[in-house]
Amino acid sequence: MQHDELWIGTMLEGNARWVLVKSTDTVEEARRRHGMSPVATAALGRLMTGALILASSLKGEESVTLRLLGDGPLEGVVAVGNAQGEVRGYVREPLVDLPLKASGKLDVGAAVGCGELTVSRSLQNGEVYTGTVPMVSGEIAEDLVHYLLSSEQIPSAMLLGVLVEKDYHVAGAGGFLIQPLPGATEEDIQAIESQLGMLGAGISEMAAQSENMDELLGHLMGKLSYHVLERRSVGFTCTCSKERLSGTLVSLGKKEIADLIADEKAEMVCHFCNEHFQFNVEELRGIWERA
Ligand SMILES: [Zn+2]
């Protein structure tokens, strides 16, 4: 069961907007499906949480794909979020293990490495907008903030965090975005910066310790005034199906499919959710006919 939520609102008398997501169950579901190490869980969990935040301003069937292509041992992290609050994703190398940083935190930056962040938005009208920026640190929140500023000219502050237990379970995960709106004053910006600077714990610890979204939001906002406009459910959901993967088999062509028929079976695995789909000879013959 997933119980994650994404809330959207305004703060400082409407001079800034914010998006808060608790993604603990979503990230745990991704960890369970992909059998990921702690640092892989943290990297994918942060990127999936960021995808939920960026997708929250989309409509209808629109979606956003975030790709981190770095030279670190994870060899790439991909997350796709949509306007319905659904997110899915994977890392190329889910078993990567690295020593902790001196601070005791998982070394996501080293696992991701240096490289590029690509953001693709698929819009209702069928158009796809893609922007690529060099990564700042591979720690993901900083990279997304850099993308929003350099590609979309939107100044933002973003927190993303995943807390992984010793037994590899996800204890807490979440993300928080603040964007000043055109009416924001210098004092508003300073108030936001000072509040974020005063937070004693990371957002993942706060997500783990808070009983509910109200409590989590209260901790993050401190004395700042805020207003909640919208509450949504979010969670890990994949869009794959046996039918969709059979389309991939069709595209292999008759010769490849004939080889699979000779093997008497075929298995297709969805990258995004690690679901395995088996095809028997009869089904493969049908696919051969369609090719
Ligand atoms: Zn899938």
Side-chain angles (χ1 to χ4, degrees), residues 133-186:
V133 293
M135 280 186 232
V136 179
S137 64
E139 294 283 343
I140 302 174
E142 282 176 340
D143 302 305
L144 289 173
V145 164
H146 173 60
Y147 166 79
L148 288 168
L149 186 63
S150 62
S151 285
E152 309 199 350
Q153 287 76 50
I154 304 172
S156 320
M158 192 188 283
L159 307 174
L160 294 173
V162 175
L163 180 66
V164 184
E165 300 268 32
K166 286 207 172 65
D167 68 0
Y168 286 22
H169 279 84
V170 176
F176 189 44
L177 171 78
I178 299 180
Q179 293 177 327
L181 294 171
T185 62
E186 199 51 48

Side-chain angles (χ1 to χ4, degrees), residues 88 238-240 270-275 277:
R88 60 192 194 275
C238 196
T239 51
C240 68
C270 173
H271 284 309
F272 283 100
C273 65
N274 208 27
E275 198 73 45
F277 296 91

